[in-house]
Amino acid sequence: LAKTTQPISMDSYEGQEVNITCSHNNIATNDYITWYQQFPSQGPRFIIQGYKTKVTNEVASLFIPADRKSSTLSLPRVSLSDTAVYYCLAVTYNTDKLIFGTGTRLQVFP
Amino acid sequence: KAGVTQTPRYLIKTRGQQVTLSCSPISGHRSVSWYQQTPGQGLQFLFEYFSETQRNKGNFPGRFSGRQFSNSRSEMNVSTLELGDSALYLCASSLSSESTDTQYFGPGTRLTVL
């Protein structure tokens, strides 16, 4: 299973765009990049998933370059409620489990 | 549609006791996974059940066990509790057992072992 590396913490201000980069050098052909968000004392919440190029939903965008060795989660115009821990996972198709890393603790200031 | 529910939300036990945690998946979901979250080790996969069968297991001792019922509800049991078992136990459900299916997490059960 591919190991992911992401910054331990990031700070931002309300209204700014936040980009969190995740490194996954040994990603396998059948791995998907998936991001989860977790607030204190709550379970993680799925944000977005992609395989390559760009994926966008109502919450975020995910950019995956052609070599797939890294990916970037982009949160447009963050608010205080986006303060949370963000986990990047390389999910292998058909292996049935999620391997969480340490995550990135995002703090949004007013 | 109701989300994943876990009971109880909080639990205090003493060393040596055993505990059973319950998880009700989203209606129609057939896969249930369990995770342990601690400040030191982060989120760690315990096991996954699909159609009443354990399909995958993490690296935890045999004191940790689980089962799934025909209605997809799942229980997790920890016997001979140790102080290190204090953690937030999270249950997640998904439609099938495909890892790329979105997993929906419950609020967790916070277990404190004294």
Side-chain angles (χ1 to χ4, degrees), chain A residues 15-107:
Chain A
Q16 289 189 330
E17 178 185 71
V18 170
N19 296 308
I20 306 175
T21 299
C22 178
S23 172
H24 27 82
N25 290 319
N26 61 339
I27 193 168
T29 304
N30 55 350
D31 284 350
Y32 287 74
I33 300 304
T34 308
W35 287 80
Y36 279 80
Q37 173 194 56
Q38 186 177 25
F39 299 110
S41 298
Q42 292 187 27
R45 183 176 74 102
F46 172 86
I47 301 175
I48 198 166
Q49 178 176 271
Y51 186 79
K52 61 180 177 181
T53 63
K54 178 182 174 182
V55 178
T56 298
N57 61 23
E58 64 279 4
V59 176
S61 294
L62 177 59
F63 301 91
I64 306 173
D67 66 6
R68 303 200 333 120
K69 292 186 183 300
S70 67
S71 59
T72 301
L73 173 73
S74 181
L75 305 171
R77 297 180 300 282
V78 294
S79 64
L80 296 176
S81 62
D82 292 317
T83 294
V85 178
Y86 292 82
Y87 294 96
C88 165
L89 294 83
V91 179
T92 301
Y93 181 77
N94 215 26
T95 60
D96 306 344
K97 63 183 179 182
L98 303 180
I99 306 297
F100 286 84
T102 53
T104 296
R105 186 172 301 276
L106 173 66
Q107 178 69 54

